């Protein structure tokens, strides 16, 4: 708590015992009178010898009482009152209501203890300061270690959910994410569309140009997918040259439009390779309402079947060509893109 500026200007109040110690005038007058009376009575008994034993006994008792009174008053003046003042002042110093130097005003019997008490109080105050400094240092170290641990956890979480080559989400995260999206979309009564795609002639490119060229193609395709999908869509690399895009609250038409756009970009990229069979992209689209059983596995299975049909059509399978392409395989691919304009991811 910050100190009050108004209180800082006020003098430190002395405890009641210390204030009373500044008014010993009455005691200083009374004590000599009592002592003098006792001495006079004792001299009277010693000088004047009386034969009356009873009177002499009374006078002796009176002298003893005076001596005891003088002893009690002296003890109270010399020890009890200063000790009480010392005790109250130590409590005030520990509470921060009085400075340590105020102990120097204690006099008489306990005065010899004042330097020792002052040294102990200074050591106690220094220990409190050291303890506060140590506590702050420990707090800062714990905060620093906590920040470092959070960064490490974030890095590990990123590595656990991301594909290292393309930067897209990996298959492990797809297995966790897809059931959640399907359940949420069913509860909200909206569609969820899944686009599954893989590269054509990718093995030929690896065998002809080497795996470094294949990795570079995968990285570029990953960048094309990431920059083409919408902000709410989730792109994945599920293994090898296979990719998946999960599109919450999207219809099959939107999925086909997105797939055609990505396919046209990949085909344009494939034309830069001097190969007899240039790389391209085949895809399959499935929607949760298009004949699926409402499960993530059923959605994946239907998209995989649509991808298989698209590949067969690209290879010239007549049975597939005669049955049409209900799942949206482009025939032929149009370089102009799709009617759905997807913002950058």
């Amino acid at each position: 708590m910050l100190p009050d500026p108004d209180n800082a200007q006020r003098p430190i109040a002395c405890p009641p015992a210390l204030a009373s110690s500044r008014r010993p005038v009455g005691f200083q007058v009374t004590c000599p009178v009592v002592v003098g009376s006792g001495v006079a009575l004792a001299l009277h008994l010693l000088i004047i010898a009386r034969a009356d034993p009873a009177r002499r006994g009374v006078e002796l008792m009176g002298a003893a009482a005076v001596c005891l009174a003088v002893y009690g008053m002296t003890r109270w003046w010399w020890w009890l009152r200063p000790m009480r003042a010392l005790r109250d002042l130590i409590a005030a110093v520990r509470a921060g209501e009085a400075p340590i130097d105020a102990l120097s005003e204690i006099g008489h019997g306990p005065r010899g203890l004042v330097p020792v008490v002052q040294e102990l109080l200074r050591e106690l105050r220094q220990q409190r300061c050291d303890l506060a400094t140590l506590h702050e240092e420990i707090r800062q170290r714990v905060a620093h270690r906590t920040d470092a641990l959070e960064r490490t956890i974030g890095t590990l979480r990123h590595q656990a959910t991301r594909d290292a080559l393309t930067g897209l989400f990996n298959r492990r995260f797809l297995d966790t994410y897809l059931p959640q999206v399907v359940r949420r979309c069913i509860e909200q009564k909206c569609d969820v569309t899944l686009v599954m795609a893989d590269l054509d002639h990718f093995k030929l490119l690896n065998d002809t140009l080497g795996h470094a060229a294949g990795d570079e193609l995968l990285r570029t395709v990953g960048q094309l997918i990431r920059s083409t999908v919408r902000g709410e869509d989730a792109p994945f690399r599920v293994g090898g040259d296979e990719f998946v895009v999960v599109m919450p609250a999207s219809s099959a038409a939107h999925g086909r439009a997105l797939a055609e756009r990505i396919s046209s970009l990949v085909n344009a990229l494939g034309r830069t390779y001097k190969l007899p069979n240039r790389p391209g992209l085949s895809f399959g689209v499935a929607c949760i309402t298009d004949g699926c059983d409402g499960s993530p596995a059923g959605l994946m299975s239907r998209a995989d079947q649509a991808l298989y049909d698209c590949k067969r059509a690209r290879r010239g399978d007549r049975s597939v060509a005669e049955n049409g392409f209900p799942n949206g395989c482009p025939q032929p691919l149009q370089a102009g893109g799709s009617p759905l304009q997807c913002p950058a991811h």
Side-chain angles (χ1 to χ4, degrees):
M1 181 181 296
L2 295 177
D4 188 358
D6 296 333
N7 292 336
Q9 303 298 327
R10 300 173 183 172
I12 298 177
C14 296
L18 184 59
S20 63
S21 68
R22 296 180 178 179
R23 298 189 297 271
V25 179
F27 181 81
Q28 290 178 352
V29 173
T30 304
C31 190
V33 171
V34 175
V35 173
S37 300
V39 172
L41 182 59
L43 292 175
H44 174 73
L45 292 176
L46 292 175
I47 296 173
I48 302 175
R50 293 186 179 276
D52 189 355
R55 185 176 179 181
R56 188 168 184 173
V58 172
E59 292 178 350
L60 288 174
M61 291 178 62
V66 170
C67 292
L68 290 176
V70 171
Y71 171 77
M73 294 179 67
T74 304
R75 179 177 173 81
W76 181 83
W77 166 257
W78 193 259
W79 281 103
L80 297 182
R81 191 183 59 84
M83 287 296 293
R84 188 179 303 150
L86 179 62
R87 181 193 61 193
D88 296 340
L89 191 54
I90 289 175
V93 170
R94 295 189 62 183
E97 299 174 357
I100 296 178
D101 293 337
L103 294 174
S104 302
E105 299 180 9
I106 300 296
H108 303 295
R111 186 175 183 83
L113 299 176
V114 170
V116 179
V117 175
Q118 287 179 328
E119 185 64 24
L120 291 176
L121 290 175
R122 290 191 180 96
E123 290 179 359
L124 178 61
R125 182 169 295 179
Q126 183 62 38
Q127 289 176 0
R128 287 180 176 177
C129 293
D130 295 341
L131 184 61
T133 303
L134 180 61
H135 177 74
E136 180 63 21
E137 182 179 354
I138 292 175
R139 189 194 64 79
Q140 292 179 359
R141 288 187 178 182
V142 170
H144 178 71
R145 294 291 178 87
T146 302
D147 293 342
L149 183 60
E150 290 178 351
R151 289 193 297 269
T152 302
I153 292 175
T155 301
L156 293 176
R157 184 182 294 113
H158 183 274
Q159 294 175 354
T161 58
R162 295 280 182 171
D163 175 63
L165 182 62
T166 62
L168 304 179
F169 295 113
N170 57 20
R171 178 58 184 264
R172 178 183 301 174
F173 185 59
L174 176 64
D175 295 338
T176 304
Y177 175 77
L178 185 57
Q180 297 176 358
V181 172
V182 171
R183 182 172 61 254
R184 185 171 66 249
C185 289
I186 291 177
E187 292 174 355
Q188 297 176 357
K189 297 181 180 181
C190 61
D191 290 336
V192 55
T193 299
L194 188 142
V195 178
M196 182 177 292
D198 71 355
L199 292 173
D200 300 325
H201 310 298
F202 182 70
K203 185 177 183 304
L204 176 62
L205 184 143
N206 269 339
D207 295 340
T208 305
L209 302 180
H211 290 281
D215 291 345
E216 182 62 28
L217 176 61
L218 291 175
R219 276 192 292 267
T220 305
V221 171
Q223 292 175 1
L224 292 176
I225 294 175
R226 190 167 56 248
S227 61
T228 305
V229 298
R230 303 173 305 173
E232 59 269 25
D233 298 336
F236 299 82
R237 181 192 175 201
V238 296
D241 59 341
E242 297 181 358
F243 301 89
V244 168
V245 179
V246 180
M247 304 175 64
S250 296
S251 64
H254 288 173
R256 284 191 293 271
L258 176 65
E260 290 173 3
R261 176 61 178 165
I262 297 174
S263 181
S264 65
L265 294 174
V266 174
N267 285 343
L269 175 65
R271 286 193 290 271
T272 62
Y273 291 91
K274 297 180 180 180
L275 294 172
N277 294 316
R278 296 173 180 175
L281 190 74
S282 297
F283 64 86
V285 179
C287 183
I288 196 69
T289 57
D290 294 342
C292 296
D293 58 2
S295 66
L299 188 63
M300 289 281 292
S301 177
R302 186 166 178 81
D304 185 66
Q305 182 61 43
L307 173 62
Y308 179 70
D309 292 343
C310 183
K311 279 192 169 294
R312 289 174 59 191
R314 282 179 176 273
R315 294 170 183 169
D317 193 321
R318 293 183 179 180
S319 62
V320 177
E322 291 174 357
N323 293 330
F325 307 95
N327 293 309
C329 180
Q331 184 193 3
L333 292 174
Q334 301 295 328
S338 69
L340 175 63
Q341 299 298 324
C342 300
H345 187 59

